[in-house]
Amino acid sequence: MLTEKELLAQPSSEYMSDDQLAFFQSILVNKMKSINERIRDSKSSLQVERNSDVSDTASVEESRTLGLNIAQRDNQELARINKALTMIAEGEYGYCLDSGEEIGLKRLIAVPESLFSVESMRAIEAKQQHQRSGGMGSSF
């Protein structure tokens, strides 16, 4: 298997070669295992907290809410990882879902479940920000 240094040293003609796909598939599978373990651990800790003393109810509820928020983010990340693994299997990994352009090795190393190029992600985030702030304008 390639190392990160070897991956980055390859010529651009090798972009998403079998070796590169195997590199990213390994990272994604390991990341998925880690997240699944974290989800299992958080579920067991939430179950333990349910048996807490009544006087600790507020603290337990706050911890449970935090745990559920973390679990929700983990599940969203798992969905992106599963999508990336599907794209590897279909030969589409490494290319932006929006533009079809190469996402780039450095971005994929940093965030292997990336489905969009930096440019497309910025546009998506700007659109989401605009939609969130759309109803917050002043009415003079």
Side-chain angles (χ1 to χ4, degrees):
M1 169 123 45
L2 293 172
T3 66
E4 185 177 318
K5 187 175 182 176
E6 292 170 332
L7 178 82
L8 292 171
Q10 290 189 322
S12 60
S13 62
E14 289 296 310
Y15 189 73
M16 293 303 119
S17 65
D18 289 343
D19 287 341
Q20 289 187 3
L21 290 172
F23 174 87
F24 288 111
Q25 183 175 25
S26 175
I27 290 173
L28 288 162
V29 167
N30 288 334
K31 198 169 186 178
M32 183 174 19
K33 288 178 185 176
S34 174
I35 292 170
N36 281 324
E37 287 174 19
R38 189 169 58 228
I39 289 172
R40 266 192 308 277
D41 291 346
S42 68
K43 282 182 181 179
S44 64
S45 70
L46 288 175
Q47 290 172 349
V48 169
E49 291 176 5
R50 287 187 193 133
N51 299 324
S52 296
D53 188 292
V54 175
S55 63
D56 293 333
T57 302
S59 176
V60 168
E61 189 60 32
E62 184 177 344
S63 293
R64 186 176 306 144
T65 300
L66 179 62
L68 291 173
N69 288 339
I70 292 169
Q72 182 180 11
R73 280 194 303 269
D74 284 345
N75 284 323
Q76 290 169 345
E77 188 171 2
L78 281 175
R80 287 190 302 272
I81 290 170
N82 282 322
K83 176 66 176 171
L85 288 169
T86 299
M87 291 176 74
I88 287 174
E90 295 172 352
E92 298 173 1
Y93 181 78
Y95 298 91
C96 178
L97 287 177
D98 185 44
S99 68
E101 298 293 319
E102 292 180 1
I103 293 173
L105 294 176
K106 289 182 180 180
R107 176 163 170 76
L108 291 171
I109 288 169
V111 186
E113 66 274 14
S114 294
L115 304 176
F116 298 96
S117 66
V118 171
E119 296 80 16
S120 291
M121 199 66 220
R122 284 184 185 141
I124 290 167
E125 289 171 351
K127 183 178 179 181
Q128 289 172 344
Q129 179 65 28
H130 178 72
Q131 289 173 342
R132 282 192 298 266
S133 65
M136 303 181 118
S138 60
S139 55
F140 286 108

